[in-house]
């Protein structure tokens, strides 16, 4: 009786009430209040968040404690996951999907250029989020967990064992302009090591400002050698 009354009243309204929305108490303004996909969303989100935390917080951040990149990796991962999960439920063709993901190709941060290592971690965060969000019935949870665990293990092995002796770099502003001459290379290296306390492997001279008598110098060093050097000094 209530449904018939509402249908009669809808004739006097500027919009029509859908019968399906009246007969189904879980519908509101043409949308269901909750579906089974909600539980999939929650479960996959926490799985994605777990592996992103293991990779970004406990592998990347331990090696490179940069909080600004930590913020970026987490937020891009979350947004990518949410967008992919929502788009998965929409009927879009391949062209539309590729066009939407092309948005990532035109994102430009108007700050310092992101390094290759950080770009790789950013791609890992996006890739894992896409896989966790778009995995359908053709992909089992065992396969999904295998993908996440494999990426986690490979990143951990590379960062902890295989690439532990990778070269690091720092950019400094140097004021003894006379030492940048090629014949004073050894003097420059010794002065830089004395000032920075680092065992320098090599260095590159960048922009030189003769008006201010300063030069930009990028020094390269191995992090593992610094620990051995300071231990021997002690």
């Amino acid at each position: 009786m209530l449904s018939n009354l509402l249908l009669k009243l809808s004739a006097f309204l500027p919009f029509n009430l859908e019968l399906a929305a009246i007969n189904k108490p879980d519908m509101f303004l043409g949308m269901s209040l909750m579906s089974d996909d909600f539980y999939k969303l929650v479960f996959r989100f926490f799985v994605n968040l777990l592996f992103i935390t293991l990779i970004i917080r406990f592998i990347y951040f331990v090696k490179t404690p940069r909080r600004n990149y930590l913020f970026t990796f987490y937020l891009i991962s979350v947004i990518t996951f949410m967008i992919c999960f929502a788009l998965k439920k929409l009927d879009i063709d391949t062209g539309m999907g590729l066009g939407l993901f092309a948005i990532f190709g035109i994102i430009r941060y108007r700050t310092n250029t992101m390094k290759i290592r950080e770009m790789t971690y950013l791609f890992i965060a996006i890739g894992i989020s896409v896989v966790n969000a778009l995995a359908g019935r053709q992909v089992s949870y065992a396969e999904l967990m295998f993908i996440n665990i494999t990426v986690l293990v490979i990143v951990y092995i590379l960062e902890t064992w295989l690439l532990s002796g990778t070269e690091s770099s720092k950019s400094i502003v140097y004021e003894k302009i006379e030492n940048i001459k090629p014949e004073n290379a050894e003097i420059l290296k010794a002065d830089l090591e004395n000032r920075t306390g680092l065992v320098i492997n090599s260095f590159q001279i960048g922009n030189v400002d003769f008006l201010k008598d300063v030069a930009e110098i990028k020094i390269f060093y191995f992090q593992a050698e610094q620990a051995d050097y300071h231990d021997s000094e002690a």
Side-chain angles (χ1 to χ4, degrees):
M1 182 181 297
L2 179 60
S3 298
N4 294 332
L5 179 60
L6 290 175
L7 286 174
K8 292 179 180 179
L9 291 175
S10 65
F12 301 97
L13 298 176
F15 56 88
N16 294 325
L17 295 175
E18 297 179 1
L19 182 60
I22 297 175
N23 294 333
K24 296 181 180 179
D26 60 337
M27 298 289 292
F28 179 73
L29 298 179
M31 293 180 62
S32 59
L33 296 178
M34 183 179 293
S35 65
D36 295 337
D37 288 338
F38 173 76
Y39 302 103
K40 297 179 183 177
L41 170 63
V42 174
F43 176 76
R44 292 188 184 186
F45 174 78
F46 282 107
V47 168
N48 184 70
L49 189 63
L50 170 64
F51 283 95
I52 290 297
T53 300
L54 292 175
I55 293 174
I56 301 302
R57 178 60 182 86
F58 294 103
I59 297 179
Y60 168 80
F61 191 72
V62 171
K63 295 289 183 178
T64 311
R66 297 173 180 168
R67 296 183 180 274
N68 53 339
Y69 285 138
L70 199 69
F71 175 85
T72 301
F73 293 148
Y74 267 107
L75 266 296
I76 287 185
S77 173
V78 170
I79 295 301
T80 301
F81 178 87
M82 295 302 182
I83 291 176
C84 290
F85 194 92
L87 292 179
K88 181 184 176 183
K89 305 195 67 175
L90 301 177
D91 187 15
I92 59 176
D93 56 12
T94 305
M96 177 65 73
L98 292 175
L100 290 172
F101 280 101
I103 296 175
F104 292 110
I106 62 175
I107 293 178
R108 295 293 179 90
Y109 293 95
R110 300 303 179 183
T111 56
N112 296 331
T113 303
M114 185 176 288
K115 297 181 180 180
I116 297 296
R117 183 169 177 271
E118 276 70 25
M119 283 296 298
T120 303
Y121 272 98
L122 179 61
F123 183 75
I124 291 173
I126 293 175
I128 288 182
S129 301
V130 171
V131 170
N132 289 329
L134 295 182
R137 295 181 179 179
Q138 296 83 0
V139 180
S140 64
Y141 280 108
E143 294 169 323
L144 189 64
M145 295 301 292
F146 175 80
I147 293 173
N148 284 274
I149 293 175
T150 300
V151 174
L152 171 64
V153 171
I154 291 176
V155 172
Y156 178 78
I157 291 175
L158 289 175
E159 282 283 23
T160 306
W161 296 340
L162 299 183
L163 301 179
S164 58
T166 53
E167 198 174 46
S168 301
S169 64
K170 288 181 181 294
S171 295
I172 62 176
V173 178
Y174 189 72
E175 85 285 355
K176 291 185 178 181
I177 203 71
E178 65 277 1
N179 288 344
I180 68 172
K181 297 177 181 180
E183 59 269 21
N184 295 332
E186 292 299 326
I187 299 176
L188 174 59
K189 181 180 178 182
D191 189 34
L192 291 173
E193 288 181 339
N194 181 52
R195 293 188 178 200
T196 61
L198 300 173
V199 180
I200 298 175
N201 182 41
S202 62
F203 60 87
Q204 292 179 351
I205 299 176
N207 296 329
V208 179
D209 190 341
F210 288 102
L211 294 177
K212 298 181 180 179
D213 284 341
V214 294
E216 294 181 4
I217 301 178
K218 191 171 187 179
I219 59 175
F220 300 88
Y221 59 94
F222 293 104
Q223 191 66 43
E225 290 184 359
Q226 313 311 315
D228 297 337
Y229 173 77
H230 290 297
D231 290 341
S232 63
E233 288 290 323

